[in-house]
Amino acid sequence: MAGLTSHFNNQSPRLDPNDGGTPPPIRADNAVAVWAECLEMIRGSVTPRAFKTWFEPAKPLRLEDSKLTIQVPSQFFYEWIEEHFYAVVRKTLVHVLGDRAQLIYHTVGDEPAEPARDRVVTLPARTTEHTSDAPQHRQGPVFSPLSSPTFQAARQEQPQPIPAYLNARFTFENFITGESNQLAYAAAKAIADAHPAGTRFNPLVIYGGVGLGKTHLAQAIGQAILRKRPSASVVYTSSERFTYEFVNAIQHNKSQEFTNYYRSVDVLIVDDIQFFADKEKTQDNFFHTFNALYQAGKQIILTSDVPPKHLRGVDDRLVSRFQWGLTTDIQPPDLETRIAILQKMSSDEGYQLPGDVIDYIARNVTTSVRELEGCLISLLAECSLRNLSLTLDLTREVINGIASVPDPVIGIEQIQQTVCKQLDIPHSLLVGKTRKQEIVYARQIAMTLIRELTSSPLKTIGNHFGGRDHTTVMHAISTIETLKGRDENTRRIIAAIRRELNAPER
């Protein structure tokens, strides 16, 4: 796969498919001049360090109509720019090239990029990740189901395989496990190992915050299944992409083809199901697709930023089906896991980082795996571009310039003591075995706040309350979350404890 199309050319379809917005201005500029103009605008919208790290390495390759192709050093560069600078890049490209502007990424090491017109379809496009050693049926250009092999096969004697659209980096081998993700990893491995016999984990729903590895783990299942059964049909999509494709199928009178496509797969992976919210017709279509796949014994894998029961704007019947299988979370990695992740990432990049550098990054970048990766790439880029040695002082300079400033550390015992003070109970009872209602209530509040305000995994929290099991902690959190929704007194108590701890309100 040579080109990756930026997400910003996939805006919500207009009711009139022939109405493409304001035509781009007629230009005689070449790609170099256009990209230089874009860079001048981008320079004023991002920090100097971000500009130097993420935009200066990009090189313009060609300009065709309103499609600008640039070369970036790696797939990760593309993903980082899309996630963190989407709005800036989109605004700039539209300003320079008009409403129909499209940005196409070409990564170093790809074959020479094909003409942009071969990489872009009229309907909403799906990007295909670079998979240099993947089977042929897992590669392909930008995708729309209306031009997919499945649809075309209806007019041919020999059916063609379905592209999977998986990122080659997202494998089990590249996934670092720790207490924060062990259950999710074990469930994902069980599904991959059991396919096609199946497990009781259908659907598998993995939920958690941004950048913690949900997509990585979900796609790793697909990668493993395809290695074991190359003939299997595995499809990865996002809820937003599913919606775009569904709307376009309606507009082009291809609803049945769209339906047949998604119901023909063996494994369906759908990212970020929370974005199905308030899309009633899309939800209805996905409901019937889900039923058809489930009844046929096909595997469904979903990711979300919240548990299914907390989804807002999603039909109850869909939420009910999301809960049929296994729901498991991924939490922010603990210190040991962050260190292991950094060691693996730096090794993959061909670097041996000093121990003090790894320790500093791991202790100061705590929110997500993605931020860890971004900080490491920025640090290595800084060393390369400025020809500097990798020292702790340079690490402090780079990390403090791009990472979120950590909040003051709040410890488990500090939270326990504050809860005891607020509710006037002895600390020994809070961590003891008593089952008195008022003590259980205080204990549940303490467990919930520790989960919210620290990066401690469930097992560690349980250990600080007399060696209780992680399921007890999960039950406590669920109970308090429910109470917060209906009990003003619980909300008041938690707010008072947070003020005492100088912890911000959620």
Side-chain angles (χ1 to χ4, degrees), residues 189-238:
K189 280 285 290 179
I191 290 171
D193 293 341
H195 191 83
T199 68
R200 297 171 61 185
F201 309 150
N202 195 23
L204 172 66
V205 180
I206 305 173
Y207 73 91
V210 174
L212 296 180
K214 302 186 300 294
T215 299
H216 186 146
L217 205 50
Q219 290 203 20
I221 299 173
Q223 303 271 24
I225 288 173
L226 282 172
R227 281 201 298 269
K228 188 168 67 171
R229 289 184 61 222
S231 62
S233 55
V234 177
V235 167
Y236 165 82
T237 188
S238 68

Side-chain angles (χ1 to χ4, degrees), residues 66-270:
S66 298
K67 304 180 184 72
L68 175 64
T69 300
I70 63 172
Q71 178 175 282
V72 292
S74 68
Q75 172 74 23
F76 179 76
F77 261 72
Y78 154 73
E79 293 170 349
W80 186 272
I81 291 172
E82 284 287 286
E83 180 173 347
H84 292 84
F85 306 108
Y86 167 90
V88 171
V89 174
R90 179 179 185 277
K91 179 180 178 181
T92 300
L93 264 290
V94 170
H95 177 83
V96 175
L97 292 173
D99 288 351
R100 296 181 182 176
Q102 295 180 5
L103 182 63
I104 300 173
Y105 295 89
H106 177 76
T107 58
V108 174
D110 287 338
E111 295 300 320
E114 299 174 21
R117 60 177 175 272
D118 295 333
R119 289 286 146 192
V120 182
V121 293
T122 304
L123 305 177
R126 179 194 306 255
T127 60
T128 305
E129 314 296 351
H130 184 60
T131 53
S132 58
D133 58 350
Q136 181 63 32
H137 73 280
R138 296 170 63 195
Q139 300 179 2
V142 173
F143 170 74
S144 166
L146 303 192
S147 60
S148 75
T150 303
F151 291 178
Q152 304 303 320
R155 296 191 295 272
Q156 300 175 4
E157 293 183 4
Q158 296 296 325
Q160 297 182 25
I162 300 175
Y165 305 103
L166 299 173
N167 188 327
R169 295 191 303 123
F170 293 161
T171 65
F172 286 123
E173 292 76 15
N174 291 332
F175 190 85
I176 304 298
T177 59
E179 286 190 11
S180 60
N181 57 30
Q182 279 182 340
L183 178 58
Y185 177 83
K189 280 285 290 179
I191 290 171
D193 293 341
H195 191 83
T199 68
R200 297 171 61 185
F201 309 150
N202 195 23
L204 172 66
V205 180
I206 305 173
Y207 73 91
V210 174
L212 296 180
K214 302 186 300 294
T215 299
H216 186 146
L217 205 50
Q219 290 203 20
I221 299 173
Q223 303 271 24
I225 288 173
L226 282 172
R227 281 201 298 269
K228 188 168 67 171
R229 289 184 61 222
S231 62
S233 55
V234 177
V235 167
Y236 165 82
T237 188
S238 68
S239 60
E240 291 182 298
R241 184 73 55 225
F242 186 93
T243 301
Y244 294 150
E245 292 167 355
F246 175 59
V247 171
N248 274 273
I250 293 174
Q251 290 181 337
H252 292 80
N253 297 317
K254 298 289 186 179
S255 298
Q256 191 58 51
E257 288 92 331
F258 174 87
T259 297
N260 292 343
Y261 175 80
Y262 277 105
R263 297 184 191 182
S264 67
V265 303
D266 297 317
V267 180
L268 177 61
I269 305 169
V270 183

Side-chain angles (χ1 to χ4, degrees), residues 250-506:
I250 293 174
Q251 290 181 337
H252 292 80
N253 297 317
K254 298 289 186 179
S255 298
Q256 191 58 51
E257 288 92 331
F258 174 87
T259 297
N260 292 343
Y261 175 80
Y262 277 105
R263 297 184 191 182
S264 67
V265 303
D266 297 317
V267 180
L268 177 61
I269 305 169
V270 183
D271 227 345
D272 293 323
I273 57 174
Q274 70 272 9
F275 293 123
F276 277 137
D278 302 321
K279 300 179 176 70
E280 294 181 5
K281 290 187 180 298
T282 303
Q283 288 184 38
D284 184 66
N285 183 280
F286 188 72
F287 171 80
H288 294 293
T289 296
F290 183 103
N291 284 345
L293 292 174
Y294 186 88
Q295 291 167 7
K298 308 302 184 182
Q299 181 66 50
I300 303 166
I301 301 158
L302 311 170
T303 75
S304 174
D305 61 357
V306 295
K309 65 180 180 180
H310 291 156
L311 288 169
R312 299 290 180 263
V314 177
D315 195 294
D316 288 343
R317 61 180 183 168
L318 257 184
V319 172
S320 173
R321 278 155 178 77
F322 294 161
Q323 295 175 311
W324 278 356
L326 174 67
T327 298
T328 180
D329 69 333
I330 295 181
Q331 294 295 331
D334 55 27
L335 177 62
E336 292 78 8
T337 305
R338 295 198 297 273
I339 290 174
I341 290 170
L342 287 168
Q343 289 172 335
K344 177 69 166 63
M345 288 179 180
S346 59
S347 175
D348 290 345
E349 294 290 336
Y351 287 85
Q352 186 68 38
L353 266 63
D356 57 350
V357 167
I358 287 183
D359 187 72
Y360 183 85
I361 300 174
R363 291 184 182 277
N364 289 275
V365 182
T366 61
T367 56
S368 73
V369 177
R370 194 170 299 162
E371 188 174 13
L372 275 177
E373 189 171 10
C375 287
L376 179 61
I377 292 294
S378 296
L379 177 61
L380 298 181
E382 191 80 7
C383 292
S384 176
L385 293 171
R386 294 170 58 187
N387 196 26
L388 299 173
S389 298
L390 186 53
T391 64
L392 183 57
D393 287 340
L394 177 64
T395 302
R396 288 195 184 99
E397 177 189 341
V398 172
I399 301 307
N400 293 342
I402 60 178
S404 303
V405 178
D407 295 325
V409 175
I410 300 175
I412 292 179
E413 187 171 344
Q414 181 184 1
I415 295 172
Q416 289 177 335
Q417 295 289 359
T418 306
V419 170
C420 290
K421 176 183 175 182
Q422 183 69 31
L423 297 177
D424 194 23
I425 62 170
H427 182 265
S428 60
L429 291 182
L430 184 76
V431 300
K433 301 297 184 182
T434 179
R435 299 292 300 168
K436 289 184 179 180
Q437 184 175 354
E438 64 272 20
I439 303 300
V440 171
Y441 177 68
R443 190 179 295 139
Q444 290 174 336
I445 287 179
M447 288 178 172
T448 301
L449 286 171
I450 291 170
R451 194 69 170 110
E452 293 176 0
L453 300 178
T454 75
S455 59
S456 302
L458 299 176
K459 182 179 178 181
T460 300
I461 297 173
N463 288 338
H464 280 78
F465 288 86
R468 285 176 165 81
D469 188 80
H470 74 281
T471 57
T472 302
V473 182
M474 293 173 62
H475 174 72
I477 295 170
S478 176
T479 299
I480 295 303
E481 288 296 327
T482 300
L483 281 175
K484 283 165 61 178
R486 68 188 186 205
D487 181 35
E488 175 61 32
N489 187 53
T490 297
R491 292 195 295 270
R492 180 185 59 77
I493 291 171
I494 291 175
I497 295 171
R498 281 179 167 274
R499 285 194 297 272
E500 183 74 17
L501 292 166
N502 292 318
E505 292 295 329
R506 293 181 69 189

